[in-house]
Amino acid sequence: MVEVLAGVQQQLLTKVPAIKYVDENWGQLDQYSPNHPVKWPCCLIDAGTVVWMNLGNKQQQGTANITLDVANLKLTNTSGKAPAAQRTQAWTIHTIMQQVHQAIHNFRVEDFSSMMYRKTTVRIGRDDGVQQYRIVYECVVTGPYDTNAGLSAVPPDGFALEVERL
C-alpha cells in the first residue's frame, strides 16, 4: 500500500504544481487550528478503506478507497459584488480539484494497482476558514504475496476472462 500512496503523491507533485503541500493524512487539518502544519493549498492522501479477498497461493487482492483531502485557507469571497480578481482567486480550490482529478483519474501505480476511478466528492464543513473537499478514488491493489511465485494479483489492463458453460 505504501507504493500506491507514494505513487499518488508523486503524480500530484508532478501534475498539479498549484498544490504547495502533498502528504499522508495524519490529522494535519484536524487538531492544529489555527496553525495547521501545511502550506496552502494542500492535498492529504490516505487509504480510507481496503476490502481484501484471498486469491490463494499467499496472494490477496483488495478494493481500495484512496482518499484525497484537498484544502485551502479561504481568504476571499465569491460574492457577485466582489471585484473580479477576488472572485477568481476565491474559486481556486475548484480549479485545483479539477487538476487533481485530471492527474489521478485513470492513473495507476505500475505493478501495485489498477487504474483509479473517482467515486465521490464531498465538502467537509469547517468553522475555521479552511475550505476542504474529500475526493475518493477506487482501485484494485495487491497484497503481500510470495514474489518467488511470479504471479501478480492485479490483472493487466484489458484482461478478460471467458467462461464457457458445460
Side-chain angles (χ1 to χ4, degrees), residues 3 12 20 26 47 50 54 58 67 70 82 93 98-99 107-108 110 121 124 136 138 141 147 151 155 157:
E3 295 85 358
L12 290 170
K20 304 294 186 229
W26 48 266
V50 183
N54 288 322
K58 299 182 184 179
T67 303
V70 179
I93 194 165
Q98 182 179 16
Q99 293 169 355
F107 170 72
R108 71 181 293 226
E110 197 69 37
T121 301
I124 306 298
V136 177
E138 184 176 274
V141 296
T147 55
L151 299 173
D157 292 331

Side-chain angles (χ1 to χ4, degrees), residues 25 29-30 36 40 44 67-72 74 93-94 97 120-136:
N25 187 347
L29 300 179
D30 299 333
H36 303 286
W40 306 107
L44 304 176
T67 303
L68 306 179
D69 283 311
V70 179
N72 197 18
K74 187 159 181 162
I93 194 165
H94 298 284
M97 288 184 351
T120 61
T121 301
V122 177
R123 184 175 187 280
I124 306 298
R126 303 181 61 97
D127 63 2
D128 60 359
V130 174
Q131 193 174 22
Q132 179 180 355
Y133 288 86
R134 180 164 293 147
I135 309 169
V136 177

Side-chain angles (χ1 to χ4, degrees), residues 74 76 78 86-96 131:
K74 187 159 181 162
T76 58
T78 52
Q86 184 178 339
R87 284 194 317 267
T88 300
Q89 179 65 26
W91 293 112
T92 298
I93 194 165
H94 298 284
T95 302
I96 291 171
Q131 193 174 22

Side-chain angles (χ1 to χ4, degrees), residues 56-83:
N57 196 27
K58 299 182 184 179
Q59 294 184 330
Q60 286 189 309
Q61 177 174 291
T63 301
N65 287 332
I66 305 300
T67 303
L68 306 179
D69 283 311
V70 179
N72 197 18
L73 187 59
K74 187 159 181 162
L75 300 174
T76 58
N77 69 61
T78 52
S79 166
K81 298 282 186 175

Side-chain angles (χ1 to χ4, degrees), residues 155-163:
D157 292 331
F159 175 82
L161 178 65
E162 294 184 31
V163 178

